[in-house]
Amino acid sequence: MSCMSRQKIILGITGGIAAYKTPELIRRLKDRGADVQVVLTRSAREFVTETTLQAVSGLPVRTNLWDKEAEAAMGHIELARWADLVLIAPATAEIMARLASGAAPDLLTTLCLATGAPIAIAPAMNHVMWSNPAVQENRQKLADRGFRILGPADGDQACGESGPGRMLEPDDIVKAVTAPIAVAEVGPAPLAGKNVMITAGPTIEPIDPVRFISNRSSGKMGYALAASARDAGASVILISGPANIPLPDGVDSISVESAREMFAAVHANIDDVDIFVGAAAVGDYHAADVKPEKIKKSHENLSITLVKNPDILSSVARLKDGPFTVGFAAETENLHEHAFGKLENKNLDMIVANLVGKGRGFDKDDNAVEVFWHEGERAFPLMNKKTLAGELVTLIAERYQVSLQTDTKTELPSIAVRD
Ligand code: PMT
C-alpha cells in the first residue's frame, strides 16, 4: 500500500451467523480510511443482504464469478490485483477447507488463488466444529502458507453453547488488519473543528411526585450519532433525557428531564454550534398543574390538562445565523408526507424520517430511515444504529459543506419558551 493511498480491502463474507456483524465491520474499516469491496458467497446471502452491504460499503457487492456486467466493470483478476488485503470474515469451516485444498468453485475462492495480496481469515463456527481435527488441519495448512488467522474468540455462541469459535468483534478485526490512521492517507476528518449539538432520549413530564408522562425512546440513536460526530472530528455536546445506556466517551453531556429543561439547556449552549441534530423524542405536552402530593385514586375518572411544550427544533432552526439544523420525524404512517411537512414547517435543513411503533425505531438496535433535504433524498435500509449513525454523519457533513456555499435559509420569527 502506498503511503498516500487508501487501503483497498476485499471483504469476503461466508455463510455463518456472524455475517450479521459485517455491516459494522465495513463501517469500522471505512472509518480507518479503507475502501471495502464486498464479495458475498451464496450461503452468506442467507444471513445478510446485498442492499445493506452496498449501502454501507458504497460499492456494488460482487457475488458471482459469471456475472458478465460486473466482470465488464472490474474482472475477477483485476479485483484480485486491486486488493491490498483480502479479509474473510466470518470464515466458515467450508471456506477454510476450500482454501486449504486450492479448490476454486466461486468468485471468492478464485480471487484468493489469483491475488498476490495477504489473506486474513476470521473463523466463526460452533466450538465442536472448530476443534474437529479436519478443521484444525486446514487451519494449520493455511497458517503455514502465510494466511493470517484472526481468532476465533472464546465465549457464548449463537447455538447456545460456549467455547472457542466466536468471530472476533469487528473492532478487534479492524485493529488487526489496518494500519494506524495517517491524516495524509484519509484526509482531514469531515467535521474537524466543528461544534455539533445533539439531543437524545426521551423527555419526562411529571404529573405528581411519583408519576410522569414519557415515551419509549432509549437514546440509542442519538448516542450513536454523538459518537459518530465525535469520530468525524467534531466537538460534541449531547443533551439527553433519561436514558439507561452509557454516555459515549469524549463528548460533553448535559442531563435533563423535561422538554422545557431540554429547551433551556439547548439555548444556553447554542451560540457556537455549527450543526444541531434533534434526535430526542421530546414530549409534546406537559401537565398544566403538577400536583405537589401523590394523586389519590378516589375518583372513577381522572382528567389531566396538558399544555403544549416549546418546539426545541423549530426554535433552533429559526435562530438568526443559527446552526445547520437536522430534525428527526418519528411517524407511524405517511412517512414522506409528514416528514416533508416537518422539513418545511420547522424551517429545517434536513430531516431524518423513521417509521416507529409495531417494534420499529424506538428502543431497537436497528433502524431504517429516509433522509430528505430541499434538493434531494436518500434512503438507508435497516441496519445497526451505530452503523447508520456513521452514514448519517457523513451525509450531514456533506450537506453542511454545501450549505456553507449556498445559504438559502429563510429567517422566521423566533419562538419563546411557554410555561
Ligand atoms: O432513542 P431510540 O430508542 O434509539 O429511538 C430513536 C428515535 C425513534 C427516538 C429517533 O430515531 C427519532 O425518531 N427521534 C425523534 C422523535 C420525535 O420526537 O419525533 P417527532 O416527529 O415527534 O418530532 C419531530 C422533531 O421535532 C424531532 O427532531 C424532535 O426532536 C423535535 N421536537 C419535537 C417536539 C418538541 N417539543 N421539540 C422538538 O425539538
Side-chain angles (χ1 to χ4, degrees):
M1 188 175 120
S2 90
C3 170
M4 296 298 286
S5 67
R6 294 164 64 87
Q7 190 177 13
K8 299 190 196 78
I9 299 179
I10 289 179
L11 174 63
I13 304 176
T14 67
I17 181 70
Y20 83 90
K21 293 184 179 174
T22 52
E24 182 64 21
L25 174 59
I26 296 166
R27 171 83 214 141
R28 301 263 162 232
L29 289 167
K30 289 187 71 181
D31 285 348
R32 303 286 292 191
D35 287 329
V36 182
Q37 170 64 64
V38 175
V39 174
L40 201 59
T41 64
R42 193 199 304 219
S43 49
R45 288 151 113 178
E46 300 291 325
F47 297 94
V48 63
T49 69
E50 279 175 57
T51 318
T52 304
L53 296 168
Q54 177 163 329
V56 181
S57 69
L59 290 173
V61 170
R62 298 289 300 266
T63 54
N64 186 353
L65 183 55
W66 310 113
D67 180 341
K68 291 197 182 67
E69 219 172 281
E71 283 287 302
M74 177 149 45
H76 62 278
I77 298 293
E78 280 166 275
L79 205 53
R81 288 191 192 128
W82 170 87
D84 296 314
L85 170 77
V86 178
L87 167 65
I88 304 180
T92 56
E94 166 73 13
I95 189 82
M96 288 176 69
R98 286 186 186 183
L99 294 172
S101 71
D106 59 13
L107 179 59
L108 182 58
T109 43
T110 307
L111 276 172
C112 287
L113 285 186
T115 191
I119 304 177
I121 65 169
M125 66 196 76
N126 165 275
H127 66 106
V128 182
M129 283 173 82
W130 175 247
S131 52
N132 185 293
V135 175
Q136 286 305 312
E137 214 173 283
N138 290 333
R139 181 194 61 76
Q140 193 58 53
K141 263 191 208 167
L142 294 174
D144 291 345
R145 282 189 216 145
F147 282 61
R148 285 185 66 195
I149 317 286
L150 310 174
D154 203 326
D156 292 341
Q157 300 208 284
C159 57
E161 294 171 4
S162 185
R166 280 170 61 93
M167 187 175 85
L168 288 187
E169 289 304 321
D171 270 347
D172 296 324
I173 297 177
V174 171
K175 274 184 213 142
V177 300
T178 55
I181 299 183
V183 173
E185 288 176 7
V186 295
L191 293 179
K194 300 297 167 195
N195 295 319
V196 174
M197 180 184 280
I198 295 173
T199 65
T203 59
I204 63 175
E205 306 294 343
I207 55 176
D208 73 12
V210 295
R211 303 184 179 96
F212 57 79
I213 304 168
S214 189
N215 59 63
R216 296 177 190 279
S217 169
S218 62
K220 287 176 188 170
M221 191 70 247
Y223 282 37
L225 284 164
S228 294
R230 173 208 60 203
D231 291 348
S235 297
V236 180
I237 309 182
L238 173 64
I239 299 184
S240 175
N244 272 329
I245 54 172
L247 284 163
D249 291 333
V251 310
D252 289 331
S253 68
I254 300 175
S255 300
V256 296
E257 295 208 327
S258 68
R260 284 169 298 163
E261 283 174 22
M262 188 174 274
F263 183 103
V266 165
H267 283 280
N269 293 281
I270 199 75
D271 279 357
D272 296 325
V273 170
D274 300 295
I275 299 173
F276 175 85
V277 184
V282 184
D284 288 325
Y285 293 91
H286 65 271
D289 178 21
V290 179
K291 300 292 177 201
E293 304 301 336
K294 186 179 169 196
I295 301 170
K296 295 291 172 204
K297 51 175 185 282
S298 44
H299 302 285
E300 226 18 70
N301 297 308
L302 174 70
S303 299
I304 298 170
T305 304
L306 298 176
V307 180
K308 212 165 187 188
N309 280 325
D311 192 310
I312 302 165
L313 184 64
S314 277
S315 68
V316 170
R318 285 164 190 244
L319 288 172
K320 187 169 170 358
D321 299 325
F324 183 84
T325 306
V326 182
F328 268 69
E331 308 295 343
T332 54
E333 54 170 2
N334 299 337
L335 192 65
H336 271 74
E337 197 184 319
H338 291 315
F340 263 116
K342 287 177 183 172
L343 182 70
E344 295 297 335
N345 299 337
K346 297 195 184 212
N347 197 34
L348 307 177
D349 293 295
M350 248 178 138
I351 192 148
V352 181
N354 43 192
L355 280 169
V356 295
K358 300 185 186 138
R360 296 167 305 197
F362 282 95
D363 199 19
K364 296 280 157 199
D365 288 337
D366 298 332
N367 203 7
V369 300
E370 290 183 46
V371 186
F372 304 100
W373 58 98
H374 297 282
E375 307 80 23
E377 59 183 79
R378 197 175 298 171
F380 295 89
L382 191 68
M383 64 181 91
N384 186 280
K385 283 182 180 168
K386 291 182 183 166
T387 311
L388 177 61
E391 297 296 319
L392 290 176
V393 164
T394 305
L395 179 58
I396 290 169
E398 273 170 33
R399 299 308 314 166
Y400 167 69
Q401 284 305 332
V402 173
S403 81
L404 293 181
Q405 277 123 45
T406 53
D407 199 357
T408 53
K409 212 159 144 189
T410 337
E411 206 179 293
L412 295 176
S414 63
I415 299 176
V417 190
R418 277 203 307 247
D419 236 275

